[in-house]
Amino acid sequence: MSDYNVLDGRHSSIGERSMLAAISATLRDDHTGRVGDIVPFDKLYDGIRDTIQSTANYRINQAENRLPEGITHDLGVRLLKVLLLVRHVEGFKATPRNLRILLTDRFDEDVMTLETQIKDVLHELERQTFVQRIGTSYHYLTNEEQDIEQEIKNTVLDVNEVTAKFKGMLLDDILGDMRVTYGLQKVPFRYGLKIDDIAQNVPRPLWLNVVTSFNNDDREKAITQSMGGLDTITMLIDTNDKTLFDDLRMHAKTSTFISRINADSQSKTRRSIIIDKRADLEEAEHELSGRLSTAVSKSQFYYNGALVDPHSSDPHARIIEAMQTLISKRYTNFPMIGKLAYQESDIQRVYQEARDTSSALVPDTADNVIGAPAEDIRSTVMLDTKRNITVSVKDLLTRYEEAPYGWPSGVTLACIAHLAGSRSIDLTLDGRPLPAEQTVNTLRDSKKRVNILVSTPREYDQRRVVTLRKFAKEFLDSGVWPSAPVDLAHELKESLNAYVNKLQLTVSRYGAFTFVNQLTPIINQISSAAKQDDSWLINEFTGDEAEPNINMLLDEKRMSSIRSLRS
């Protein structure tokens, strides 16, 4: 106290002799005490009262006159005396427990009752700005400090400023980038933050709703409102730290006050106090962050009205665990992909395996079966096709990324490649069937996916398919043709075009012969057939009404002139 000029001028340098005199005076004043009594620490104040500057103990004198009679007055004055005495004791924290030890005046004291009374009276002293609370520690306020503290309390805050401070601490110290990995594939899921049901960021497929109210009715209402909110998990902040949000609000007010005030225009004493408060802000924020982490580590989580009980006590891990529970409830079809883990680089392999009919129906690996998720996509495409809904690869990626699937794009693309390779779906780009040799590279091109349309193969009359295959074998003298109708038609068109090229070469070489020119109408017929789409070749070309048709071309082939020219 002497070092900080709390004592009157003529006593300011007495030092150890002053302390001895004060203790001696205190013991003499308490000589009437009973055996077993303890001299409480506040009695020391009475021993040096006359040596303390009036500017330092003015608040104690004021409290003696202003505090209401009873325990608030008696214990309040004693607390202020102790807080003044320990104000400059480095390392001492004036917590309710430590103050109770200093104020205990007998060995048989009911310490629990005394500590409860101390807490209640300290709350009243703080309300009347006799003391300042920083975390769990209390500090005596001088006149100037009281004035500044009152100005801080009177600082008007926008409600969003407190929310922003709370949000910032949550994000910086606990939530991080608000991303959760899930499943064996470590699929990243992003989630959004709500504070008291108010969104704090752009819409997300998943939400963490943090309830800050300590009111039981508000908390019960939040649990009830969580019913039906299938995309949200609700976190009720633990209520044991009763003053957490009051302190958070005061921290925000202090920060706002310091940022607004011009310290250079203040008196030396006020400027010194403001500088100290600015320095204390960082430490106070660190302390608040620790308290918030503790509150989160003890918070309760609810999904759809039911309690979710994460096992972790670490605040970040506890939220991650709760969000993973939300993902499992929201994305109910995620387990369909099992252990499947594909990247875009795997599409080529999956597509080529599916092209081989012998491997299209077997597991991709011993534990990795692509058939089930691929069949789900095929069923989706089939349903959209029946409803005359146009669906693109981009549409499928988006649909299977959302609830109830949550599949990574690599898996969905692999399933599409598997279906395309096994001819279970048709892919078209700009109105034309996607050639097999271009399928993989086109699927990898993210810009083209919106234009790659997906449909299920058309059902064809098998009798016409058999007829077309017989025609191909006889007309082109080849015995190996695809079993899939569309593949058969596609390969037939390529072979017919090649056949036309050979005939045209013959005409160009031997056009001088009159009988060679008879091939021109036949070339036109074959070219006309090769230009038609797959459906026409299967349904129309195999009948008798179309021109040309298989019978017309077979008749032409049987003519000796064509046969001899080909040979």
Side-chain angles (χ1 to χ4, degrees):
M1 294 176 74
S2 176
D3 292 341
Y4 286 89
N5 299 319
V6 177
L7 302 180
D8 190 60
R10 59 194 178 91
H11 299 289
S12 61
S13 60
I14 294 177
E16 293 180 3
R17 291 187 59 193
S18 177
M19 178 64 71
L20 290 172
I23 293 175
S24 176
T26 300
L27 291 174
R28 285 196 304 271
D29 291 343
D30 208 49
H31 71 280
T32 59
R34 299 171 301 173
V35 175
D37 285 354
I38 305 172
V39 179
F41 191 69
D42 62 295
K43 292 292 186 180
L44 183 61
Y45 171 86
D46 296 332
I48 61 172
R49 182 169 191 157
D50 293 338
T51 67
I52 298 175
Q53 293 189 23
S54 60
T55 54
N57 63 4
Y58 173 80
R59 302 290 291 139
I60 296 176
N61 299 330
Q62 189 181 48
E64 289 177 337
N65 297 322
R66 284 178 49 182
L67 291 178
E69 292 296 327
I71 191 170
T72 299
H73 177 277
D74 298 340
L75 187 55
V77 171
R78 293 183 65 196
L79 283 167
L80 289 175
K81 292 177 180 179
V82 171
L83 289 172
L84 175 60
L85 292 173
V86 301
R87 173 181 166 84
H88 299 294
V89 178
E90 185 175 354
F92 180 82
K93 290 189 174 183
T95 63
R97 178 184 179 277
N98 290 340
L99 292 173
R100 183 258 299 167
I101 293 173
L102 295 179
L103 289 175
T104 299
D105 57 7
R106 65 180 189 274
F107 286 110
D108 60 349
E109 180 78 69
D110 185 346
V111 293
M112 297 304 296
T113 298
L114 177 59
E115 188 164 332
T116 300
Q117 292 172 342
I118 288 173
K119 290 179 180 179
D120 293 339
V121 174
L122 283 171
H123 179 73
E124 179 63 22
L125 292 176
E126 181 186 10
R127 189 186 69 82
Q128 296 195 35
T129 323
F130 283 104
V131 299
Q132 177 190 10
R133 178 174 52 80
I134 301 177
T136 58
S137 183
Y138 290 81
H139 303 268
Y140 180 90
L141 293 177
T142 63
N143 291 341
E144 292 84 357
E145 289 172 334
Q146 182 199 22
D147 292 341
I148 291 178
E149 190 68 14
Q150 191 62 51
E151 290 175 31
I152 292 174
K153 287 184 177 181
N154 293 339
T155 300
V156 178
L157 283 182
D158 188 303
V159 65
N160 293 328
E161 292 184 69
V162 180
T163 301
K165 172 64 70 175
F166 176 65
K167 173 186 173 182
M169 294 177 65
L170 271 179
L171 292 176
D172 294 342
D173 304 321
I174 300 175
L175 299 183
D177 63 356
M178 295 196 295
R179 192 186 305 264
V180 180
T181 57
Y182 183 76
L184 297 174
Q185 301 84 353
K186 301 297 182 183
V187 180
F189 287 86
R190 298 197 67 182
Y191 65 92
L193 174 66
K194 293 181 180 179
I195 298 178
D196 295 323
D197 213 32
I198 298 176
Q200 302 298 312
N201 46 259
V202 297
R204 299 279 188 224
L206 300 170
W207 292 96
L208 170 67
N209 182 31
V210 180
V211 178
T212 64
S213 176
F214 284 13
N215 182 276
N216 288 331
D217 291 338
D218 291 342
R219 294 165 76 86
E220 288 296 329
K221 182 180 179 181
I223 296 173
T224 302
Q225 289 179 339
S226 73
M227 297 179 183
L230 303 182
D231 61 349
T232 302
I233 194 160
T234 299
M235 181 178 79
L236 304 183
I237 287 285
D238 182 67
T239 59
N240 285 327
D241 191 343
K242 303 294 185 183
T243 62
L244 173 61
F245 287 98
D246 289 339
D247 293 349
L248 186 64
R249 188 173 294 103
M250 277 301 297
H251 186 277
K253 285 189 173 187
T254 303
S255 179
T256 301
F257 172 81
I258 292 175
S259 66
R260 292 176 181 174
I261 198 168
N262 183 3
D264 294 337
S265 65
Q266 306 297 311
S267 67
K268 181 179 179 180
T269 301
R270 283 177 61 89
R271 185 163 58 249
S272 175
I273 295 171
I274 292 170
I275 291 173
D276 289 342
K277 284 192 172 293
R278 182 181 288 111
D280 290 341
L281 274 178
E282 185 175 348
E283 181 182 351
E285 183 164 347
H286 178 74
E287 186 263 347
L288 281 171
S289 175
R291 291 166 62 190
L292 178 59
S293 295
T294 300
V296 172
S297 69
K298 297 178 182 180
S299 295
Q300 292 181 324
F301 293 86
Y302 286 85
Y303 175 74
N304 198 24
L307 179 66
V308 175
D309 188 19
H311 299 294
S312 178
S313 59
D314 176 79
H316 178 70
R318 188 172 176 81
I319 289 178
I320 292 295
E321 191 176 342
M323 294 306 300
Q324 288 176 335
T325 300
L326 171 60
I327 293 171
S328 69
K329 301 288 187 182
R330 181 62 171 158
Y331 295 92
T332 53
N333 287 350
F334 187 90
M336 289 180 64
I337 64 175
K339 298 179 181 180
L340 291 178
Y342 290 108
Q343 305 298 325
E344 289 190 13
S345 57
D346 298 317
I347 296 177
Q348 176 71 45
R349 173 177 60 84
V350 173
Y351 181 74
Q352 290 300 329
E353 288 177 352
R355 291 286 291 176
D356 181 358
T357 55
S358 64
S359 65
L361 300 178
V362 299
D364 180 43
T365 66
D367 300 317
N368 237 1
V369 181
I370 197 172
E375 177 59 26
D376 191 275
I377 292 178
R378 192 188 74 85
S379 298
T380 297
V381 174
M382 182 181 295
L383 183 60
D384 284 347
T385 301
K386 289 181 178 179
R387 293 174 175 174
N388 294 321
I389 298 175
T390 302
V391 58
S392 68
V393 170
K394 176 66 174 177
D395 294 333
L396 290 175
L397 288 172
T398 301
R399 186 178 306 182
Y400 280 85
E401 184 182 62
E402 298 173 346
Y405 294 95
W407 296 359
S409 60
V411 169
T412 305
L413 281 173
C415 290
I416 294 173
H418 174 84
L419 293 170
S422 61
R423 303 304 301 177
S424 298
I425 59 173
D426 291 333
L427 301 180
T428 59
L429 179 62
D430 298 330
R432 296 172 181 263
L434 194 59
E437 63 273 13
Q438 298 178 18
T439 297
V440 172
N441 287 335
T442 307
L443 285 175
R444 286 175 174 169
D445 191 337
S446 59
K447 294 181 179 179
K448 291 183 178 179
R449 290 170 187 165
V450 70
N451 296 318
I452 306 174
L453 301 185
V454 187
S455 61
T456 51
R458 180 175 174 179
E459 297 290 337
Y460 295 102
D461 187 335
Q462 286 301 309
R463 292 173 297 179
R464 292 185 178 273
V465 175
V466 171
T467 299
L468 186 64
R469 187 176 292 109
K470 288 181 178 180
F471 164 79
K473 291 178 180 180
E474 182 177 350
F475 190 79
L476 297 168
D477 298 326
S478 174
V480 180
W481 291 91
S483 58
V486 175
D487 285 346
L488 170 62
H490 186 71
E491 190 166 328
L492 176 59
K493 286 193 292 183
E494 292 181 347
S495 298
L496 289 176
N497 281 323
Y499 186 32
V500 167
N501 291 336
K502 290 181 180 181
L503 291 178
Q504 288 175 337
L505 182 60
T506 299
V507 172
S508 65
R509 287 180 178 179
Y510 306 105
F513 298 97
T514 304
F515 71 91
V516 172
N517 291 323
Q518 295 176 3
L519 292 176
T520 299
I522 302 169
I523 292 173
N524 291 336
Q525 289 181 343
I526 299 173
S527 297
S528 176
K531 292 177 180 178
Q532 304 299 323
D533 59 27
D534 298 338
S535 178
W536 186 90
L537 283 176
I538 298 172
N539 292 322
E540 306 298 333
F541 187 53
T542 54
D544 295 329
E545 297 181 358
E547 291 187 6
N549 57 60
I550 61 173
N551 292 325
M552 293 171 62
L553 293 185
L554 287 173
D555 288 343
E556 294 290 351
K557 180 183 177 182
R558 295 185 186 104
M559 295 173 58
S560 58
S561 59
I562 299 179
R563 185 182 299 274
S564 61
L565 284 171
R566 288 189 62 212
S567 62

